Amino acid sequence: MAEHTIASPTCNPRLLDWIREMTDLCQPDRVHWCDGSDAEYEHVCNQMVRSGSFVRLNETLRPGSYLVRSHPSDVARVEKRTFICAPTQAEAGPTNNWKPPGPMKETLLSLFRGSMRGRTLYVIPFCMGPLNSAFAKIGIEITDSPYVVCNMRIMTHMGQRVLDALGNGPFIPCLHSVGAPLKPGQPDVAWPCEPDLEKKYIVHFPHEPSIWSYGSGYGGNALLGKKCLALRIASTIARQEGWLAEHMLILSLTSPRGQKRYLAAAFPSACGKTNLAMMQPSLPGWKVQCLGDDIAWIRLGPDGRLYALNPEAGFFGVAPGTSEKSNPHAVRTFAKNTIFTNVALTPDRDVWWEGMDVPPPPTLVDWEGQTWTPDSDRRAAHPNSRFTAPADQCPVIDPDWQNPDGVPLSAILFGGRRTTTVPLVCEAFNWQHGVFLGSAIGSETTAANTGQAGILRRDPFAMLPFCGYHMADYFAHWLALGAQTDPGKLPRMYVVNWFRRNDRGRWLWPGYGENSRVLKWICDRIDGTGQAQPSPIGNLPAPNALDLSGLNLHPENIRELLAVHKPEWRREAEGIRDYYDTFGDRLPATLRRELEALRQRLA
Ligand code: OXD
Ligand code: MN
């Protein structure tokens, strides 16, 4: 019988029944209800330092911060082991792994039986979105990972105030175990997990809804408020309730004249969402402020405009490549009170990673705990190493980032890593065309997913790993939402590509703060002052419409950045057609018509 460290701090009968049932199933040694206090956070961190899981970083250089190294097999989301167990395969669609709910429940029940022996079961009440928001959704995560407790404290609104707000209301049950029970007297390891990939399960039951995650302690596999709840489950709820749960950053852009606009942008994982969300514009007088770097929940407001809210409370950003040059505001954000996972440790107990733009010390401890020197032929930090930092530490956090109503969107951007074909920026002709563009985006793969790097993967709306139902129905939902309001009130839609290269393989665009030049053109378009010229794929900036002052870009670069090469685009259209064919009859006819219209414009 588990020992309860504090009396149950809720009277919610459904919650109490579920905790009792899961405690009986998982058989932990102890149960701890998280209150979300500073004292509790410190206590759990101290315990992890004592057990050897956390390294306390230098209190002067990096106050209140910790380093943790995962098991080398547990370093990223596991898409192959992520399942959508809708009642029928047709509901999950061809882009999701589907298994029938009944047999999957049986498999999970047998895995979870006794899975927390020797460990503490933590109950984490959390809220995605501000507690006072109509957008907000409450989840309860059960976990045996103190690392998850600490990260959820940063990434969500967590603790007693969530239980108080919940009262006897409904919540989304989220069960997580690292899958490493301890026998009596068995010593623990620094990062317990189930190392066998085939025994890891990240499972969603959208019709309940509930989430069951087994075997991994890492990021999106284990912090169940993020990808599992706020995207996969939320997307299915959003479809029923008439809103959108999107893999998007939200930023505000203020012009030198003080005009403020809100933009959302969807990019696949590891394409620079965090950098764009906190960008320091190179254009004088322009200001970017951040509202979120990963997830946007979008609803129609009473005025017919679309309003976006970031449901998270922190950033779980990719560390390598983050530097004073690429993202000075992120560097300030993780200056303190941050958990670093799988980065390297310097001799003075600070952090280091590739692309930090700071020379490495002569020796450091790499992400696997081994001595590393600059001559080593391996990386010091894992390419998917992360920082978990509170959003309110961002020096450019927007004052409205916790506005319970969200912020009205003027534009939605879609992007990805494309070395060829896709121009720097292109504007959709209208909402339907924008949905077509969003449905067709793709990116060359990177390390944030565990697949092969460098392959073009179609990633509609950057939601391929995150859409909790049939992707073609999701496209239809986007089309239907747009049809519910006056087209003039909808955000304009754009495709952007910072990653185009010339035929010698050199980047054509400097990126980072210079991306503000593209955002400025977008704002000019919204104001009606920006000049554009139509092309077969959408509206492109007219010659001289992009503000390139002081940039010193070769005119040949500009031409190539904005070029639409018809033979390349005919191949692209074929690729889109092949991709669309995977959805069969379920693909909305509007999108087939958009594709046909593109092919005619390219003829
Ligand atoms: C993330 C991802 O961690 O998209 O945000 O993988
Ligand atoms: Mn993401």
Side-chain angles (χ1 to χ4, degrees):
M1 183 64 194
E3 162 202 335
H4 288 249
T5 52
I6 45 176
S8 309
T10 176
C11 299
N12 185 309
R14 216 185 120 220
L15 175 54
L16 290 171
D17 281 354
W18 180 62
I19 299 296
R20 214 170 290 123
E21 211 184 303
M22 293 304 110
T23 306
D24 287 350
L25 176 69
C26 303
Q27 299 165 28
D29 281 10
R30 292 164 295 276
V31 174
H32 176 84
W33 289 77
C34 295
D35 62 15
S37 63
D38 290 347
E40 176 184 76
Y41 180 75
E42 271 163 40
H43 177 76
V44 179
C45 289
N46 286 339
Q47 233 179 340
M48 291 191 73
V49 170
R50 276 199 303 278
S51 74
S53 292
F54 269 11
V55 175
R56 192 188 304 283
L57 295 175
N58 184 313
E59 203 46 47
T60 310
L61 300 173
R62 199 69 66 176
S65 299
Y66 302 90
L67 164 71
V68 58
R69 300 184 194 103
S70 78
H71 187 275
S73 70
D74 200 22
V75 292
R77 288 186 291 102
V78 283
E79 291 178 13
K80 259 179 54 195
R81 305 300 305 161
T82 299
F83 299 90
I84 301 292
C85 295
T88 63
Q89 184 158 20
E91 285 161 272
T95 60
N96 283 312
N97 297 319
W98 177 81
K99 291 266 190 265
M104 178 59 94
K105 241 343 147 36
E106 288 306 313
T107 304
L108 291 169
L109 284 170
S110 70
L111 286 168
F112 274 94
R113 193 157 294 124
S115 69
M116 298 189 186
R117 274 192 206 126
R119 302 193 179 279
T120 300
L121 179 157
Y122 297 92
V123 182
I124 308 175
F126 67 95
C127 185
M128 303 312 291
L131 276 161
N132 60 345
S133 170
F135 282 70
K137 297 277 176 226
I138 289 179
I140 309 286
E141 178 160 354
I142 287 180
T143 182
D144 53 5
S145 162
Y147 171 82
V148 167
V149 172
C150 300
N151 278 270
M152 288 292 281
R153 170 105 193 312
I154 298 175
M155 295 304 295
T156 70
H157 305 279
M158 183 264 243
Q160 185 61 45
R161 63 207 161 107
V162 178
L163 287 182
D164 295 343
L166 177 67
N168 284 342
F171 61 92
I172 299 169
C174 308
L175 177 63
H176 171 249
S177 172
V178 294
L182 292 167
K183 296 197 183 70
Q186 182 185 344
D188 204 357
V189 292
W191 184 280
C193 67
E194 167 53 72
D196 181 351
L197 181 63
E198 298 303 310
K199 293 199 189 127
K200 293 188 207 276
Y201 285 86
I202 319 298
V203 185
H204 308 73
F205 296 96
H207 54 294
E208 293 188 352
S210 72
I211 300 162
W212 296 56
S213 166
Y214 182 87
S216 167
Y218 203 85
N221 301 328
L223 312 179
L224 301 185
K226 193 175 181 60
K227 304 299 188 180
C228 298
L229 192 156
L231 287 175
R232 297 193 193 97
I233 292 295
S235 64
T236 64
I237 298 174
R239 181 186 178 209
Q240 287 152 20
E241 294 181 356
W243 51 282
L244 298 165
E246 297 301 322
H247 189 207
M248 290 182 183
L249 65 89
I250 312 169
L251 62 80
S252 68
L253 184 68
T254 308
S255 75
R257 283 187 293 114
Q259 166 95 316
K260 188 167 187 174
R261 305 251 180 219
Y262 299 97
L263 275 55
F267 294 80
S269 304
C271 285
K273 279 209 302 297
T274 309
N275 291 348
L276 182 63
M278 304 179 188
M279 180 225 287
Q280 186 156 298
S282 61
L283 282 176
W286 288 79
K287 184 164 78 176
V288 165
Q289 288 173 296
C290 175
L291 293 98
D293 78 329
D294 198 39
I295 300 178
W297 285 356
I298 303 175
R299 277 171 199 259
L300 267 181
D303 60 357
R305 299 188 68 189
L306 288 184
Y307 284 73
L309 174 82
N310 166 22
E312 299 192 281
F315 304 115
F316 184 67
V318 176
T322 309
S323 69
E324 200 56 59
K325 175 168 172 265
S326 68
N327 194 338
H329 296 139
V331 172
R332 306 279 165 293
T333 306
F334 55 63
K336 57 184 181 187
N337 307 324
T338 296
I339 300 168
F340 294 91
T341 308
N342 287 344
V343 304
L345 178 69
T346 67
D348 53 7
R349 280 188 299 118
D350 200 3
V351 289
W352 190 87
W353 48 74
E354 283 78 9
M356 197 186 217
D357 275 353
V358 173
T363 160
L364 34 75
V365 180
D366 72 12
W367 72 276
E368 294 190 86
Q370 309 293 325
T371 304
W372 182 96
T373 69
D375 302 330
S376 299
D377 55 7
R378 7 177 257 286
R379 298 176 62 126
H382 187 277
N384 192 35
S385 53
R386 299 283 177 148
F387 57 85
T388 317
D392 60 8
Q393 288 186 185
C394 176
V396 293
I397 197 75
D398 190 280
D400 270 316
W401 82 285
Q402 288 290 277
N403 186 327
D405 299 324
V407 293
L409 292 177
S410 295
I412 295 178
L413 280 56
F414 302 111
R417 283 174 192 273
R418 295 295 304 264
T419 49
T420 64
T421 316
V422 179
L424 179 63
V425 57
C426 164
E427 181 187 64
F429 299 128
N430 53 41
W431 182 264
Q432 282 93 317
H433 184 231
V435 173
F436 168 71
L437 294 179
S439 76
I441 57 167
S443 192
E444 285 148 31
T445 52
T446 67
N449 41 69
T450 50
Q452 242 182 313
I455 310 276
L456 175 67
R457 142 166 137 154
R458 295 260 162 226
D459 191 347
F461 294 81
M463 283 289 279
L464 182 65
F466 307 123
C467 181
Y469 60 101
H470 197 298
M471 189 63 87
D473 294 350
Y474 166 84
F475 299 158
H477 180 53
W478 264 84
L479 291 167
L481 193 80
Q484 276 178 39
T485 188
D486 168 358
K489 293 188 172 167
L490 286 167
R492 300 245 193 141
M493 285 147 124
Y494 297 83
V495 167
V496 297
N497 178 25
W498 322 132
F499 300 96
R500 198 162 180 175
R501 297 185 191 229
N502 66 13
D503 48 16
R504 293 183 310 280
R506 305 279 294 267
W507 302 112
L508 289 163
W509 180 247
Y512 303 116
E514 305 300 353
N515 294 337
S516 57
R517 298 169 188 275
V518 173
L519 302 189
K520 179 183 176 199
W521 179 72
I522 290 173
C523 283
D524 291 345
R525 291 292 295 156
I526 295 160
D527 289 347
T529 56
Q531 298 299 307
Q533 57 188 11
S535 86
I537 65 164
N539 295 322
L540 302 175
N544 304 322
L546 274 180
D547 182 346
L548 300 173
S549 49
L551 192 55
N552 244 337
L553 263 196
H554 197 282
E556 183 49 36
N557 274 27
I558 316 282
R559 242 192 323 276
E560 187 54 21
L561 273 167
L562 295 176
V564 174
H565 299 299
K566 281 192 173 176
E568 275 181 1
W569 271 94
R570 285 192 203 106
R571 275 198 299 281
E572 183 75 9
E574 275 169 34
I576 298 170
R577 187 203 50 208
D578 291 347
Y579 189 60
Y580 274 2
D581 285 347
T582 64
F583 302 118
D585 290 350
R586 215 140 161 164
L587 187 87
T590 307
L591 295 186
R592 279 237 179 262
R593 279 198 295 276
E594 286 292 341
L595 176 59
E596 197 40 51
L598 169 66
R599 288 166 55 160
Q600 306 234 327
R601 291 193 298 269
L602 291 167

